[in-house]
Amino acid sequence: MKSFFNDERRMLLYTYLLLVAMFGNLSLLQQPFDTKAVILGVVMALLLGYAHFVIGRFFSDGDKYLMLFAFILSMIGIVTMYRIDPSVAIKQLIWFTLGVVAYVLVVVVLPDLKSFSKYKYVYLAGVIVFMAMATLIGVEKFGSKNWVQFGPISFQPSEIGKLFLVAYLSSALKDYNGSVKSLIEPALIVMYSLGFMVIQKDLGSALIFFGISVTMLYLSTNKLKYIVTTFILAGVGATLSYKLFDHVRVRVAIWLDPWADAYNKGLQIVQGLFAMASGGLLGAGLGKGYPGFIPVNTSDFIFAVICEEMGLLMGFGIMILFFLMFYRSMRAAIYVEDKFSQMMAVGYAAMFATQVLVIIGGVMNAIPLTGVALPFVSYGGSSMLTSFFALGIIQKISEEG
């Protein structure tokens, strides 16, 4: 126990040292001194201390590392955004603050999650509403009609929809009894969600929902034949999408040869690859890169900016942090006894893992590019709030275990 607390405090100390180093470096990019960068660093330090105190002092049985991992990732993202555009970083800090508050409230206010398993059809209604919302009243941004705007406020309904999807599947699959009939309704809901994402041209969210569904299906049924069937159906769906939708064919063509149209449709991929290659292992240094050449550099392609200025080592470090977050989330699922809570932890862990693989794989041109946010790192209020809400649920489950 003593060793555990020492490890936790050492991790917290390293996090604060990284914060001082990054925001200190940021403050020196302007002459004589950038006080705004220091203020941002102080605010983040206070938020970290507040969240860590509340969780560690009053909920000491839960996981102590999940919040630290999310904080480090958010800090890297905000520092990178500030270097690109300070106004964007300030907005992201506001969303980060709201995310931390949501995380703490989920842990403090919610009772045991097993009492929420009976609200399956409430979650189903949430899936139906939010998956279809952008199709009916949405606006198109960056080629996808997956945004809804009310005055000055805009958000992605699919970000909220995936929270409801995990909750619904957890409630539906917790009582799986070996019957194929019990899987028909969840399968139809997943197909409903995927169908609207394809219509909205939001292929990234479609991949994320597929990853979540396959992971939860396998862990609830433990039957490989269902997974094989799912992948066959997904292959058929992907082929039909390629035949029917021009934007799918464009994404595949860019993936196969981005250099064929490097100054137009392949510009994002090409500039991102150039940036990561020029940064090398150790990076050009904070403030020494050229993020202005990279399109969508505060959201979809922020990973390329980070690799250019902080090096591929930092990129590997980000992936390791996400792996550790996935590991700690699955660990919480293993130790909790309630099946509904277990499935929730698995679903949200799969959500984070799939989202990271989809966007980093797309930026590195390992898979066709789809525009999704890198959790905690990319700019976006919808993504930040939903990510912290999901992390709060996993933290709550770790308390129950």
Side-chain angles (χ1 to χ4, degrees):
M1 182 64 71
K2 185 177 180 181
S3 174
F4 174 79
F5 282 116
N6 287 338
D7 290 342
E8 177 197 345
R9 289 168 182 168
R10 192 179 298 116
M11 181 71 179
L12 182 63
L13 175 62
Y14 291 155
T15 304
Y16 272 116
L17 290 175
L18 180 62
L19 183 147
V20 171
M22 296 192 77
F23 281 97
N25 192 347
L26 201 61
S27 67
L28 297 176
L29 293 181
Q30 292 186 9
Q31 297 299 327
F33 194 70
D34 190 348
T35 54
K36 288 183 182 178
V38 176
I39 293 172
L40 256 67
V42 170
V43 171
M44 292 203 73
L46 292 174
L47 287 170
L48 173 59
Y50 161 73
H52 188 268
F53 171 76
V54 172
I55 301 301
R57 177 71 175 81
F58 301 104
F59 301 91
S60 56
D61 293 334
D63 196 290
K64 303 299 188 300
Y65 295 100
L66 287 172
M67 179 62 198
L68 293 177
F69 296 152
F71 181 88
I72 294 171
L73 291 166
S74 300
M75 177 175 60
I76 294 170
I78 289 174
V79 167
T80 306
M81 288 174 214
Y82 191 89
R83 179 263 178 277
I84 298 169
D85 185 347
S87 64
V88 173
I90 293 171
K91 291 178 185 176
Q92 184 74 347
L93 180 63
I94 294 172
W95 288 117
F96 172 75
T97 303
L98 294 174
V100 171
V101 171
Y103 168 83
V104 172
L105 286 176
V106 167
V107 177
V108 173
V109 175
L110 287 185
D112 288 345
L113 289 179
K114 59 186 177 183
S115 62
F116 289 90
S117 63
K118 58 187 177 183
Y119 300 114
K120 180 174 77 169
Y121 291 105
V122 174
Y123 308 139
L124 175 59
V127 173
I128 292 172
V129 170
F130 285 104
M131 295 304 183
M133 185 180 291
T135 303
L136 301 176
I137 59 173
V139 295
E140 187 169 317
K141 291 186 179 181
F142 305 113
S144 300
K145 190 182 178 182
N146 58 349
W147 288 85
V148 169
Q149 190 154 358
F150 296 108
I153 300 174
S154 62
F155 68 98
Q156 289 180 283
S158 60
E159 290 284 344
I160 304 172
K162 67 186 178 186
L163 296 179
F164 279 106
L165 180 63
V166 171
Y168 166 76
L169 290 176
S170 300
S171 184
L173 296 175
K174 70 179 179 65
D175 297 324
Y176 172 72
N177 56 9
S179 170
V180 177
K181 291 183 179 180
S182 63
L183 298 177
I184 294 176
E185 183 186 287
L188 291 174
I189 297 305
V190 171
M191 292 172 64
Y192 171 89
S193 303
L194 294 176
F196 272 109
M197 292 306 103
V198 172
I199 293 171
Q200 295 168 20
K201 303 179 185 178
D202 190 358
L203 303 181
S205 292
L207 287 173
I208 293 167
F209 296 162
F210 178 76
I212 291 170
S213 305
V214 168
T215 305
M216 296 181 72
L217 175 65
Y218 180 70
L219 291 179
S220 63
T221 65
N222 200 29
K223 291 186 177 180
L224 187 60
K225 64 180 181 180
Y226 291 155
I227 306 304
V228 173
T229 303
T230 302
F231 273 99
I232 292 173
L233 292 174
V236 173
T239 303
L240 289 174
S241 298
Y242 181 84
K243 298 286 186 182
L244 295 174
F245 300 106
D246 181 64
H247 65 276
V248 177
R249 293 193 293 272
V250 170
R251 293 292 176 92
V252 173
I254 294 171
W255 169 56
L256 293 174
D257 187 7
W259 310 99
D261 196 7
Y263 293 100
N264 187 15
K265 295 176 181 177
L267 181 65
Q268 283 181 300
I269 293 292
V270 169
Q271 294 289 34
L273 293 174
F274 272 133
M276 289 185 286
S278 65
L281 197 61
L282 300 178
L286 192 62
K288 302 296 184 182
Y290 299 94
F293 292 138
I294 305 173
V296 204
N297 52 20
T298 59
S299 53
D300 295 1
F301 271 76
I302 195 170
F303 185 76
V305 178
I306 292 169
C307 289
E308 180 185 20
E309 298 205 341
M310 304 183 202
L312 292 173
L313 280 179
M314 180 63 81
F316 291 139
I318 288 172
M319 288 187 277
I320 290 171
L321 283 173
F322 278 118
F323 171 78
L324 292 173
M325 184 181 290
F326 176 78
Y327 161 73
R328 301 296 295 189
S329 300
M330 295 300 287
R331 183 177 181 272
I334 291 171
Y335 283 103
V336 73
E337 294 182 0
D338 176 57
K339 187 66 180 291
F340 174 73
S341 300
Q342 186 180 71
M343 295 303 297
M344 287 274 280
V346 168
Y348 288 133
M351 179 185 81
F352 285 130
T354 308
Q355 196 162 333
V356 171
L357 292 173
V358 165
I359 187 57
I360 292 182
V363 171
M364 300 181 73
N365 205 38
I367 61 174
L369 176 66
T370 55
V372 297
L374 185 60
F376 304 106
V377 181
S378 295
Y379 175 73
S382 304
S383 176
M384 184 67 79
L385 290 177
T386 54
S387 295
F388 268 111
F389 182 87
L391 196 71
I393 295 293
I394 296 171
Q395 180 71 37
K396 190 71 179 178
I397 292 169
S398 73
E399 292 281 340
E400 296 176 7

Tab-separated table of all heavy atoms in Angstrom, residues 44-93:
chain	number	residue	atom	x	y	z
A	44	MET	N	-4.354	25.340	-14.999
A	44	MET	CA	-4.326	23.886	-15.166
A	44	MET	C	-3.770	23.204	-13.922
A	44	MET	O	-4.248	22.131	-13.512
A	44	MET	CB	-3.513	23.503	-16.404
A	44	MET	CG	-4.151	23.911	-17.715
A	44	MET	SD	-3.590	22.937	-19.135
A	44	MET	CE	-4.393	21.364	-18.858
A	45	ALA	N	-2.764	23.808	-13.301
A	45	ALA	CA	-2.203	23.245	-12.073
A	45	ALA	C	-3.243	23.219	-10.958
A	45	ALA	O	-3.355	22.230	-10.207
A	45	ALA	CB	-0.980	24.054	-11.644
A	46	LEU	N	-4.019	24.287	-10.839
A	46	LEU	CA	-5.070	24.340	-9.821
A	46	LEU	C	-6.169	23.308	-10.083
A	46	LEU	O	-6.661	22.653	-9.149
A	46	LEU	CB	-5.680	25.744	-9.773
A	46	LEU	CG	-4.755	26.864	-9.256
A	46	LEU	CD1	-5.431	28.222	-9.403
A	46	LEU	CD2	-4.362	26.619	-7.805
A	47	LEU	N	-6.536	23.143	-11.356
A	47	LEU	CA	-7.554	22.154	-11.702
A	47	LEU	C	-7.072	20.737	-11.387
A	47	LEU	O	-7.837	19.909	-10.880
A	47	LEU	CB	-7.920	22.271	-13.183
A	47	LEU	CG	-8.767	23.482	-13.572
A	47	LEU	CD1	-8.843	23.613	-15.089
A	47	LEU	CD2	-10.174	23.366	-12.988
A	48	LEU	N	-5.813	20.473	-11.682
A	48	LEU	CA	-5.252	19.157	-11.377
A	48	LEU	C	-5.264	18.913	-9.870
A	48	LEU	O	-5.657	17.839	-9.403
A	48	LEU	CB	-3.827	19.052	-11.918
A	48	LEU	CG	-3.048	17.792	-11.526
A	48	LEU	CD1	-3.764	16.531	-12.005
A	48	LEU	CD2	-1.627	17.843	-12.074
A	49	GLY	N	-4.823	19.919	-9.107
A	49	GLY	CA	-4.809	19.767	-7.655
A	49	GLY	C	-6.200	19.555	-7.087
A	49	GLY	O	-6.403	18.711	-6.198
A	50	TYR	N	-7.181	20.297	-7.609
A	50	TYR	CA	-8.565	20.174	-7.134
A	50	TYR	C	-9.118	18.773	-7.416
A	50	TYR	O	-9.651	18.109	-6.511
A	50	TYR	CB	-9.427	21.237	-7.824
A	50	TYR	CG	-10.906	20.968	-7.785
A	50	TYR	CD1	-11.631	21.118	-6.607
A	50	TYR	CD2	-11.586	20.556	-8.939
A	50	TYR	CE1	-13.002	20.856	-6.576
A	50	TYR	CE2	-12.950	20.305	-8.918
A	50	TYR	CZ	-13.651	20.453	-7.728
A	50	TYR	OH	-14.987	20.196	-7.701
A	51	ALA	N	-9.003	18.316	-8.659
A	51	ALA	CA	-9.555	17.011	-9.028
A	51	ALA	C	-8.853	15.888	-8.274
A	51	ALA	O	-9.499	14.954	-7.767
A	51	ALA	CB	-9.431	16.792	-10.534
A	52	HIS	N	-7.537	15.983	-8.171
A	52	HIS	CA	-6.785	14.934	-7.479
A	52	HIS	C	-7.128	14.898	-5.998
A	52	HIS	O	-7.230	13.820	-5.389
A	52	HIS	CB	-5.285	15.159	-7.676
A	52	HIS	CG	-4.446	14.021	-7.170
A	52	HIS	ND1	-3.937	13.990	-5.888
A	52	HIS	CD2	-4.051	12.862	-7.769
A	52	HIS	CE1	-3.262	12.870	-5.716
A	52	HIS	NE2	-3.318	12.176	-6.841
A	53	PHE	N	-7.321	16.061	-5.394
A	53	PHE	CA	-7.669	16.115	-3.972
A	53	PHE	C	-9.038	15.483	-3.723
A	53	PHE	O	-9.200	14.668	-2.809
A	53	PHE	CB	-7.666	17.568	-3.482
A	53	PHE	CG	-8.208	17.742	-2.090
A	53	PHE	CD1	-7.438	17.390	-0.986
A	53	PHE	CD2	-9.498	18.222	-1.886
A	53	PHE	CE1	-7.939	17.527	0.303
A	53	PHE	CE2	-10.009	18.356	-0.606
A	53	PHE	CZ	-9.227	18.013	0.491
A	54	VAL	N	-10.024	15.861	-4.537
A	54	VAL	CA	-11.381	15.342	-4.335
A	54	VAL	C	-11.415	13.828	-4.513
A	54	VAL	O	-11.965	13.094	-3.672
A	54	VAL	CB	-12.373	16.017	-5.314
A	54	VAL	CG1	-13.738	15.337	-5.251
A	54	VAL	CG2	-12.511	17.495	-4.978
A	55	ILE	N	-10.822	13.353	-5.604
A	55	ILE	CA	-10.848	11.913	-5.886
A	55	ILE	C	-10.017	11.143	-4.862
A	55	ILE	O	-10.444	10.115	-4.329
A	55	ILE	CB	-10.347	11.624	-7.317
A	55	ILE	CG1	-11.219	12.351	-8.343
A	55	ILE	CG2	-10.350	10.125	-7.593
A	55	ILE	CD1	-12.677	11.991	-8.310
A	56	GLY	N	-8.815	11.649	-4.574
A	56	GLY	CA	-7.926	10.939	-3.656
A	56	GLY	C	-8.382	10.996	-2.212
A	56	GLY	O	-8.195	10.036	-1.452
A	57	ARG	N	-8.991	12.116	-1.814
A	57	ARG	CA	-9.369	12.303	-0.407
A	57	ARG	C	-10.677	11.610	-0.066
A	57	ARG	O	-10.813	10.971	0.991
A	57	ARG	CB	-9.484	13.804	-0.116
A	57	ARG	CG	-9.946	14.147	1.305
A	57	ARG	CD	-8.855	13.834	2.321
A	57	ARG	NE	-9.254	14.267	3.652
A	57	ARG	CZ	-10.047	13.583	4.471
A	57	ARG	NH1	-10.548	12.428	4.080
A	57	ARG	NH2	-10.356	14.057	5.666
A	58	PHE	N	-11.671	11.709	-0.933
A	58	PHE	CA	-13.003	11.208	-0.605
A	58	PHE	C	-13.379	9.914	-1.327
A	58	PHE	O	-14.348	9.262	-0.955
A	58	PHE	CB	-14.057	12.278	-0.918
A	58	PHE	CG	-13.850	13.558	-0.157
A	58	PHE	CD1	-13.320	14.676	-0.776
A	58	PHE	CD2	-14.169	13.633	1.192
A	58	PHE	CE1	-13.118	15.861	-0.076
A	58	PHE	CE2	-13.976	14.806	1.902
A	58	PHE	CZ	-13.445	15.923	1.271
A	59	PHE	N	-12.638	9.559	-2.374
A	59	PHE	CA	-12.937	8.347	-3.136
A	59	PHE	C	-11.634	7.578	-3.372
A	59	PHE	O	-11.227	7.351	-4.501
A	59	PHE	CB	-13.626	8.701	-4.459
A	59	PHE	CG	-14.905	9.463	-4.279
A	59	PHE	CD1	-14.903	10.851	-4.260
A	59	PHE	CD2	-16.102	8.794	-4.102
A	59	PHE	CE1	-16.080	11.557	-4.072
A	59	PHE	CE2	-17.281	9.488	-3.921
A	59	PHE	CZ	-17.270	10.878	-3.896
A	60	SER	N	-11.021	7.187	-2.276
A	60	SER	CA	-9.666	6.636	-2.326
A	60	SER	C	-9.603	5.212	-2.868
A	60	SER	O	-8.517	4.701	-3.133
A	60	SER	CB	-9.043	6.670	-0.927
A	60	SER	OG	-9.861	5.966	0.004
A	61	ASP	N	-10.761	4.553	-3.022
A	61	ASP	CA	-10.742	3.172	-3.514
A	61	ASP	C	-10.638	3.072	-5.028
A	61	ASP	O	-10.384	1.991	-5.560
A	61	ASP	CB	-12.017	2.446	-3.063
A	61	ASP	CG	-12.062	2.251	-1.553
A	61	ASP	OD1	-10.987	2.208	-0.934
A	61	ASP	OD2	-13.179	2.170	-1.003
A	62	GLY	N	-10.844	4.181	-5.720
A	62	GLY	CA	-10.853	4.150	-7.178
A	62	GLY	C	-9.469	4.273	-7.790
A	62	GLY	O	-8.453	4.402	-7.091
A	63	ASP	N	-9.435	4.239	-9.115
A	63	ASP	CA	-8.178	4.336	-9.852
A	63	ASP	C	-7.579	5.732	-9.696
A	63	ASP	O	-8.276	6.738	-9.838
A	63	ASP	CB	-8.427	4.041	-11.335
A	63	ASP	CG	-7.151	3.749	-12.091
A	63	ASP	OD1	-6.366	4.693	-12.280
A	63	ASP	OD2	-6.947	2.600	-12.486
A	64	LYS	N	-6.294	5.801	-9.408
A	64	LYS	CA	-5.634	7.089	-9.165
A	64	LYS	C	-4.924	7.642	-10.394
A	64	LYS	O	-4.410	8.763	-10.363
A	64	LYS	CB	-4.595	6.940	-8.035
A	64	LYS	CG	-5.150	6.419	-6.721
A	64	LYS	CD	-6.212	7.335	-6.150
A	64	LYS	CE	-6.624	6.917	-4.745
A	64	LYS	NZ	-7.172	5.551	-4.682
A	65	TYR	N	-4.889	6.866	-11.474
A	65	TYR	CA	-4.073	7.252	-12.614
A	65	TYR	C	-4.877	7.766	-13.809
A	65	TYR	O	-4.348	8.492	-14.650
A	65	TYR	CB	-3.206	6.077	-13.068
A	65	TYR	CG	-2.189	5.664	-12.044
A	65	TYR	CD1	-2.408	4.562	-11.227
A	65	TYR	CD2	-1.009	6.388	-11.870
A	65	TYR	CE1	-1.475	4.171	-10.274
A	65	TYR	CE2	-0.079	6.010	-10.924
A	65	TYR	CZ	-0.325	4.906	-10.124
A	65	TYR	OH	0.598	4.543	-9.177
A	66	LEU	N	-6.144	7.396	-13.907
A	66	LEU	CA	-6.936	7.784	-15.071
A	66	LEU	C	-6.970	9.297	-15.254
A	66	LEU	O	-6.777	9.807	-16.363
A	66	LEU	CB	-8.366	7.238	-14.936
A	66	LEU	CG	-8.554	5.733	-15.143
A	66	LEU	CD1	-9.970	5.325	-14.790
A	66	LEU	CD2	-8.231	5.343	-16.582
A	67	MET	N	-7.199	10.023	-14.170
A	67	MET	CA	-7.266	11.479	-14.249
A	67	MET	C	-5.919	12.063	-14.661
A	67	MET	O	-5.853	13.030	-15.436
A	67	MET	CB	-7.705	12.049	-12.904
A	67	MET	CG	-7.787	13.568	-12.867
A	67	MET	SD	-8.998	14.206	-14.039
A	67	MET	CE	-8.489	15.905	-14.165
A	68	LEU	N	-4.831	11.499	-14.158
A	68	LEU	CA	-3.503	12.004	-14.506
A	68	LEU	C	-3.207	11.805	-15.991
A	68	LEU	O	-2.648	12.693	-16.644
A	68	LEU	CB	-2.436	11.313	-13.656
A	68	LEU	CG	-2.455	11.636	-12.154
A	68	LEU	CD1	-1.399	10.819	-11.422
A	68	LEU	CD2	-2.222	13.128	-11.922
A	69	PHE	N	-3.589	10.647	-16.522
A	69	PHE	CA	-3.375	10.402	-17.949
A	69	PHE	C	-4.157	11.412	-18.794
A	69	PHE	O	-3.617	11.993	-19.752
A	69	PHE	CB	-3.819	8.983	-18.319
A	69	PHE	CG	-3.024	7.890	-17.664
A	69	PHE	CD1	-3.584	6.651	-17.410
A	69	PHE	CD2	-1.713	8.111	-17.282
A	69	PHE	CE1	-2.857	5.637	-16.799
A	69	PHE	CE2	-0.962	7.100	-16.665
A	69	PHE	CZ	-1.551	5.865	-16.431
A	70	ALA	N	-5.435	11.624	-18.435
A	70	ALA	CA	-6.265	12.571	-19.179
A	70	ALA	C	-5.705	13.989	-19.065
A	70	ALA	O	-5.726	14.757	-20.035
A	70	ALA	CB	-7.701	12.529	-18.667
A	71	PHE	N	-5.187	14.340	-17.890
A	71	PHE	CA	-4.640	15.682	-17.691
A	71	PHE	C	-3.403	15.904	-18.557
A	71	PHE	O	-3.256	16.957	-19.191
A	71	PHE	CB	-4.288	15.894	-16.221
A	71	PHE	CG	-3.750	17.263	-15.936
A	71	PHE	CD1	-4.599	18.315	-15.644
A	71	PHE	CD2	-2.385	17.518	-15.985
A	71	PHE	CE1	-4.110	19.589	-15.405
A	71	PHE	CE2	-1.877	18.775	-15.747
A	71	PHE	CZ	-2.749	19.821	-15.456
A	72	ILE	N	-2.512	14.934	-18.589
A	72	ILE	CA	-1.291	15.078	-19.393
A	72	ILE	C	-1.642	15.236	-20.869
A	72	ILE	O	-1.086	16.095	-21.574
A	72	ILE	CB	-0.351	13.871	-19.180
A	72	ILE	CG1	0.160	13.851	-17.741
A	72	ILE	CG2	0.832	13.928	-20.145
A	72	ILE	CD1	0.920	12.589	-17.379
A	73	LEU	N	-2.574	14.426	-21.349
A	73	LEU	CA	-2.986	14.513	-22.749
A	73	LEU	C	-3.610	15.879	-23.052
A	73	LEU	O	-3.303	16.500	-24.077
A	73	LEU	CB	-3.975	13.397	-23.064
A	73	LEU	CG	-3.401	11.975	-23.062
A	73	LEU	CD1	-4.527	10.945	-23.047
A	73	LEU	CD2	-2.490	11.745	-24.261
A	74	SER	N	-4.474	16.349	-22.149
A	74	SER	CA	-5.102	17.661	-22.348
A	74	SER	C	-4.071	18.777	-22.316
A	74	SER	O	-4.168	19.745	-23.094
A	74	SER	CB	-6.161	17.899	-21.261
A	74	SER	OG	-7.163	16.909	-21.304
A	75	MET	N	-3.096	18.651	-21.441
A	75	MET	CA	-2.053	19.671	-21.339
A	75	MET	C	-1.237	19.748	-22.626
A	75	MET	O	-0.959	20.847	-23.130
A	75	MET	CB	-1.132	19.348	-20.157
A	75	MET	CG	0.042	20.302	-19.995
A	75	MET	SD	0.986	19.946	-18.506
A	75	MET	CE	1.521	18.259	-18.808
A	76	ILE	N	-0.865	18.619	-23.176
A	76	ILE	CA	-0.120	18.605	-24.439
A	76	ILE	C	-0.937	19.275	-25.543
A	76	ILE	O	-0.418	20.063	-26.336
A	76	ILE	CB	0.242	17.157	-24.829
A	76	ILE	CG1	1.236	16.564	-23.826
A	76	ILE	CG2	0.835	17.113	-26.240
A	76	ILE	CD1	1.458	15.072	-23.996
A	77	GLY	N	-2.238	18.969	-25.576
A	77	GLY	CA	-3.096	19.567	-26.585
A	77	GLY	C	-3.229	21.076	-26.434
A	77	GLY	O	-3.111	21.822	-27.409
A	78	ILE	N	-3.428	21.559	-25.206
A	78	ILE	CA	-3.604	22.994	-24.977
A	78	ILE	C	-2.313	23.753	-25.255
A	78	ILE	O	-2.335	24.850	-25.834
A	78	ILE	CB	-4.104	23.236	-23.537
A	78	ILE	CG1	-5.555	22.765	-23.412
A	78	ILE	CG2	-4.006	24.711	-23.158
A	78	ILE	CD1	-6.115	22.806	-22.012
A	79	VAL	N	-1.179	23.196	-24.871
A	79	VAL	CA	0.112	23.837	-25.173
A	79	VAL	C	0.312	23.959	-26.679
A	79	VAL	O	0.727	25.011	-27.187
A	79	VAL	CB	1.267	23.041	-24.538
A	79	VAL	CG1	2.617	23.483	-25.102
A	79	VAL	CG2	1.263	23.231	-23.020
A	80	THR	N	-0.007	22.899	-27.410
A	80	THR	CA	0.137	22.929	-28.864
A	80	THR	C	-0.808	23.946	-29.493
A	80	THR	O	-0.427	24.689	-30.407
A	80	THR	CB	-0.130	21.529	-29.448
A	80	THR	OG1	0.716	20.569	-28.802
A	80	THR	CG2	0.141	21.508	-30.948
A	81	MET	N	-2.040	23.994	-29.009
A	81	MET	CA	-3.003	24.974	-29.530
A	81	MET	C	-2.554	26.405	-29.237
A	81	MET	O	-2.710	27.286	-30.086
A	81	MET	CB	-4.389	24.735	-28.920
A	81	MET	CG	-5.097	23.508	-29.428
A	81	MET	SD	-6.627	23.244	-28.516
A	81	MET	CE	-6.680	21.466	-28.491
A	82	TYR	N	-2.020	26.633	-28.050
A	82	TYR	CA	-1.573	27.984	-27.702
A	82	TYR	C	-0.440	28.431	-28.617
A	82	TYR	O	-0.369	29.589	-29.011
A	82	TYR	CB	-1.108	28.034	-26.248
A	82	TYR	CG	-0.874	29.441	-25.741
A	82	TYR	CD1	-1.906	30.163	-25.159
A	82	TYR	CD2	0.373	30.056	-25.862
A	82	TYR	CE1	-1.712	31.458	-24.713
A	82	TYR	CE2	0.582	31.346	-25.413
A	82	TYR	CZ	-0.467	32.047	-24.840
A	82	TYR	OH	-0.262	33.335	-24.394
A	83	ARG	N	0.411	27.486	-28.972
A	83	ARG	CA	1.510	27.813	-29.879
A	83	ARG	C	0.991	28.167	-31.274
A	83	ARG	O	1.548	28.997	-31.985
A	83	ARG	CB	2.472	26.616	-29.944
A	83	ARG	CG	3.668	26.793	-30.874
A	83	ARG	CD	3.393	26.160	-32.212
A	83	ARG	NE	4.459	26.338	-33.148
A	83	ARG	CZ	4.648	27.414	-33.898
A	83	ARG	NH1	3.880	28.472	-33.765
A	83	ARG	NH2	5.631	27.452	-34.791
A	84	ILE	N	-0.152	27.553	-31.666
A	84	ILE	CA	-0.741	27.825	-32.977
A	84	ILE	C	-1.612	29.076	-32.947
A	84	ILE	O	-1.474	29.978	-33.775
A	84	ILE	CB	-1.572	26.615	-33.459
A	84	ILE	CG1	-0.684	25.378	-33.611
A	84	ILE	CG2	-2.269	26.927	-34.781
A	84	ILE	CD1	-1.453	24.098	-33.831
A	85	ASP	N	-2.541	29.122	-31.966
A	85	ASP	CA	-3.498	30.222	-31.858
A	85	ASP	C	-3.935	30.337	-30.395
A	85	ASP	O	-4.726	29.511	-29.914
A	85	ASP	CB	-4.708	29.964	-32.757
A	85	ASP	CG	-5.685	31.138	-32.786
A	85	ASP	OD1	-5.573	32.043	-31.932
A	85	ASP	OD2	-6.571	31.146	-33.664
A	86	PRO	N	-3.439	31.334	-29.655
A	86	PRO	CA	-3.776	31.458	-28.237
A	86	PRO	C	-5.276	31.506	-27.948
A	86	PRO	O	-5.731	30.980	-26.929
A	86	PRO	CB	-3.087	32.767	-27.829
A	86	PRO	CG	-1.946	32.904	-28.779
A	86	PRO	CD	-2.452	32.340	-30.079
A	87	SER	N	-6.054	32.120	-28.831
A	87	SER	CA	-7.498	32.220	-28.585
A	87	SER	C	-8.154	30.837	-28.583
A	87	SER	O	-9.077	30.575	-27.804
A	87	SER	CB	-8.153	33.117	-29.639
A	87	SER	OG	-8.050	32.554	-30.937
A	88	VAL	N	-7.687	29.945	-29.441
A	88	VAL	CA	-8.212	28.575	-29.478
A	88	VAL	C	-7.853	27.840	-28.190
A	88	VAL	O	-8.675	27.109	-27.622
A	88	VAL	CB	-7.670	27.822	-30.711
A	88	VAL	CG1	-8.079	26.347	-30.667
A	88	VAL	CG2	-8.170	28.460	-31.991
A	89	ALA	N	-6.623	28.043	-27.707
A	89	ALA	CA	-6.186	27.389	-26.473
A	89	ALA	C	-7.012	27.848	-25.277
A	89	ALA	O	-7.351	27.043	-24.392
A	89	ALA	CB	-4.712	27.673	-26.237
A	90	ILE	N	-7.347	29.127	-25.227
A	90	ILE	CA	-8.155	29.651	-24.124
A	90	ILE	C	-9.551	29.033	-24.150
A	90	ILE	O	-10.101	28.650	-23.105
A	90	ILE	CB	-8.215	31.192	-24.193
A	90	ILE	CG1	-6.832	31.783	-23.916
A	90	ILE	CG2	-9.236	31.739	-23.204
A	90	ILE	CD1	-6.719	33.267	-24.168
A	91	LYS	N	-10.135	28.924	-25.340
A	91	LYS	CA	-11.441	28.267	-25.451
A	91	LYS	C	-11.346	26.805	-25.001
A	91	LYS	O	-12.232	26.306	-24.292
A	91	LYS	CB	-11.934	28.321	-26.900
A	91	LYS	CG	-12.308	29.711	-27.393
A	91	LYS	CD	-12.729	29.658	-28.853
A	91	LYS	CE	-12.984	31.050	-29.418
A	91	LYS	NZ	-13.309	30.988	-30.869
A	92	GLN	N	-10.272	26.141	-25.414
A	92	GLN	CA	-10.110	24.741	-25.023
A	92	GLN	C	-9.928	24.605	-23.525
A	92	GLN	O	-10.397	23.627	-22.922
A	92	GLN	CB	-8.915	24.119	-25.759
A	92	GLN	CG	-8.708	22.636	-25.512
A	92	GLN	CD	-9.741	21.770	-26.225
A	92	GLN	OE1	-10.760	22.247	-26.713
A	92	GLN	NE2	-9.481	20.480	-26.282
A	93	LEU	N	-9.250	25.563	-22.891
A	93	LEU	CA	-9.086	25.535	-21.440
A	93	LEU	C	-10.442	25.632	-20.743
A	93	LEU	O	-10.670	24.987	-19.711
A	93	LEU	CB	-8.176	26.677	-20.987
A	93	LEU	CG	-7.915	26.757	-19.476
A	93	LEU	CD1	-7.176	25.515	-18.986
A	93	LEU	CD2	-7.126	28.014	-19.122
